[in-house]
């Protein structure tokens, strides 16, 4: 078995940007682009995004799948090789490292982990259907919220953390009103974010619906409302809205690595050096949402993918691995 210089796990913006840089550095990266582990597909979260309008360089916007195809083609043009397989096992305790899928066992000197994170959903049938069809249900207000269909409309955001308030306040730029549906009567969000929330409430741009959960999403081709249930009284009612945004947290795709690398209490990979992509194991680097619960943007993921490839290239050079 020949030993790879760089194996990249994941094929979203972080993994594929890492591949572009590693390929151009003549490292011939091998990308495990995934197959369907955890309901994910090659290309990552952008494959579920209808229109990407905030990625610099595309003034007209483009669809998430088109963008990921362009990333993939660009990496392939410089010599990236792909395996459309899920990694099932890693061994970072020996060198070279070992990466296994059901079909292949690969040895490699360095690994870039770019497996991303998945948004948490309520997993209601209509929520999933309308999210997949672009029918007004999304887990990313910053990605989808500026669409004309939401202008001056009643929008609902679920959650009580920083993301709910941040994404909700972003939506107030366009919406008629943003209704924050939270299962308790106190926000989890930071003090600063709570101040922003109460200011927007005072201005009439935001409205809390406390102690309430969404039990169904209404609408056929696109959302017309949500069914709400007050968890204190049990009372149910239908609430008309033109958009539903979930902000109930993300789950990093790190199940494979948790016995091998340091992760934080939420499972995100801990970076070992500030401003770099080193993990707790030398030669293993992490890029994109798998190590970032704060920014979670395609462009920041791509940026850290580039950093991880440069870190891997320099690490290989330091070790004299040609
Ligand atoms: P989070 O802090 O985990 O908050 C998730 C929210 O969703 C909580 O209010 C939670 O309710 C609610 N929730 C969870 N599961 C639910 C369910 N099944 N049904 C209904 N509600 C549910 O997640 P986040 O807001 O995405 O923030 C993640 C991290 O990123 C945090 O550390 C945050 O500080 C950080 N962040 C920072 C910024 C910023 O500083 N600008 C912006 C965004 C995120 P409970 O409160 O009842 O648990």
């Amino acid at each position: 078995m020949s030993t790879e210089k760089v194996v990249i796990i994941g094929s979203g913006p972080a993994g594929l940007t890492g591949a572009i840089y590693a390929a151009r550095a003549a490292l011939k990266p091998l990308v495990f682009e995934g197959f369907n582990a955890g309901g994910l597909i090659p290309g990552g979260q952008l494959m579920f995004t209808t229109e990407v309008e905030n990625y610099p360089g595309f003034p007209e916007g483009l669809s998430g799948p088109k963008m990921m195809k362009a990333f993939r083609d660009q990496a392939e043009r410089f010599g990236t090789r792909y395996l459309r397989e899920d990694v099932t096992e890693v061994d970072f305790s020996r060198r070279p490292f070992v990466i296994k899928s059901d079909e292949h066992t690969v040895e490699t000197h360095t690994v870039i982990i770019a497996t991303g994170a998945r948004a948490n959903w309520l997993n209601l049938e209509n929520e999933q259907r309308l999210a997949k069809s672009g029918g007004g249900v999304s887990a990313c207000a910053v990605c989808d919220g500026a669409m004309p269909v939401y202008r001056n409309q009643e929008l609902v955001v679920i959650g009580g953390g920083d993301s709910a308030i941040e994404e909700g306040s972003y939506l107030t730029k366009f919406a008629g009103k943003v209704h924050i549906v939270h299962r308790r009567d106190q926000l989890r969000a930071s003090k600063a974010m709570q101040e922003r929330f109460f200011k927007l409430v005072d201005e009439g741009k935001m409205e809390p619906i406390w102690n309430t959960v969404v039990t169904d999403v209404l609408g056929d081709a696109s959302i017309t409302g949500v069914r709400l249930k007050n968890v204190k009284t049990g009372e149910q009612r239908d609430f008309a809205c033109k958009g539903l945004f979930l902000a109930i947290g993300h789950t990093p795709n790190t199940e494979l690595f948790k016995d091998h690398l340091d992760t934080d209490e939420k499972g995100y990979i801990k970076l070992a050096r500030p401003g770099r992509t080193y993990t707790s194991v030398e030669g293993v680097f992490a890029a994109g949402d798998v190590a970032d619960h704060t920014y979670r943007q395609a462009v920041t993921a791509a940026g850290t993918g580039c950093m991880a490839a440069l870190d891997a290239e320099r690490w290989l050079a330091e070790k004299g691995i040609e």
Side-chain angles (χ1 to χ4, degrees):
M1 187 190 335
S2 67
T3 302
E4 301 290 336
K5 291 199 184 85
V6 183
V7 163
I8 298 173
I9 309 175
S11 57
L16 294 181
T17 304
I20 292 167
Y21 275 76
R24 286 176 58 81
L27 298 173
K28 298 195 181 72
L30 176 66
V31 176
F32 279 90
E33 49 181 350
F35 182 57
N36 66 356
L40 298 170
I41 55 175
Q45 294 182 84
L46 278 189
M47 299 302 284
F48 303 109
T49 302
T50 39
E51 202 64 17
V52 185
E53 293 187 313
N54 55 7
Y55 200 93
F58 298 92
E60 309 301 327
L62 81 168
S63 77
K66 268 194 188 152
M67 171 170 269
M68 293 327 297
K69 180 173 184 321
F71 272 59
R72 191 183 187 280
D73 291 349
Q74 192 173 348
E76 193 166 38
R77 185 176 140 218
F78 297 110
T80 299
R81 292 156 302 139
Y82 295 100
L83 289 174
R84 187 153 283 209
E85 295 164 13
D86 293 321
V87 171
T88 51
E89 203 180 321
V90 296
D91 186 352
F92 297 154
S93 66
R94 49 154 291 185
R95 286 174 198 270
F97 305 128
V98 178
I99 311 289
K100 285 187 184 169
S101 69
D102 283 344
E103 295 86 354
H104 290 91
T105 297
V106 174
E107 283 190 351
T108 181
H109 293 296
T110 67
V111 178
I112 296 174
I113 299 173
T115 46
R118 51 190 188 274
N120 295 337
W121 296 87
L122 297 174
N123 291 318
L124 301 168
E125 196 183 324
N126 250 359
E127 167 208 53
Q128 291 301 300
R129 186 177 60 77
L130 292 172
K132 282 177 188 141
S133 67
V137 178
S138 163
C140 181
V142 179
C143 316
D144 300 326
M147 295 210 291
V149 64
Y150 299 127
R151 302 267 150 139
N152 302 317
Q153 301 295 336
E154 302 296 299
L155 304 179
V156 166
V157 174
I158 309 176
D162 280 335
S163 294
I165 306 309
E166 185 165 68
E167 306 221 351
S169 62
Y170 175 78
L171 293 172
T172 61
K173 296 182 210 296
F174 324 102
K177 192 177 257 188
V178 175
H179 304 266
I180 303 283
V181 174
H182 184 33
R183 62 186 177 185
R184 297 186 290 132
D185 63 359
Q186 275 185 341
L187 295 176
R188 175 179 296 281
S190 61
K191 195 163 177 293
M193 211 58 97
Q194 297 209 20
E195 279 169 12
R196 194 195 290 189
F197 167 76
F198 286 113
K199 186 165 174 287
L200 286 162
V201 171
D202 284 346
E203 290 169 0
K205 294 179 179 164
M206 224 180 227
E207 186 82 42
I209 305 180
W210 301 121
N211 298 316
T212 297
V213 292
V214 170
T215 57
D216 202 359
V217 178
L218 313 173
D220 196 5
S222 57
I223 184 171
T224 55
V226 285
R227 183 152 300 152
L228 301 178
K229 181 179 175 190
N230 184 305
V231 292
K232 289 256 154 97
T233 63
E235 181 207 339
Q236 298 225 40
R237 64 182 166 121
D238 291 350
F239 186 87
C241 65
K242 282 282 162 55
L244 173 65
F245 295 86
L246 285 100
I248 59 172
H250 284 74
T251 303
N253 300 313
T254 50
E255 290 79 3
L256 263 181
F257 313 110
K258 63 180 190 299
D259 296 333
H260 304 270
L261 296 175
D262 289 354
T263 52
D264 70 12
E265 69 286 351
K266 288 193 173 151
Y268 288 88
I269 294 177
K270 274 192 186 168
L271 296 180
R273 301 190 193 178
R276 305 294 294 273
T277 62
Y278 284 68
T279 67
S280 54
V281 173
E282 272 221 23
V284 179
F285 305 89
D289 291 12
V290 76
D292 167 29
H293 60 68
T294 307
Y295 300 107
R296 297 196 304 253
Q297 300 302 301
V299 69
T300 51
T304 55
C306 158
M307 289 160 63
L310 295 176
D311 282 342
E313 183 189 355
R314 287 169 194 167
W315 189 86
L316 287 165
E318 272 168 31
K319 301 287 167 199
I321 299 169
E322 296 285 318

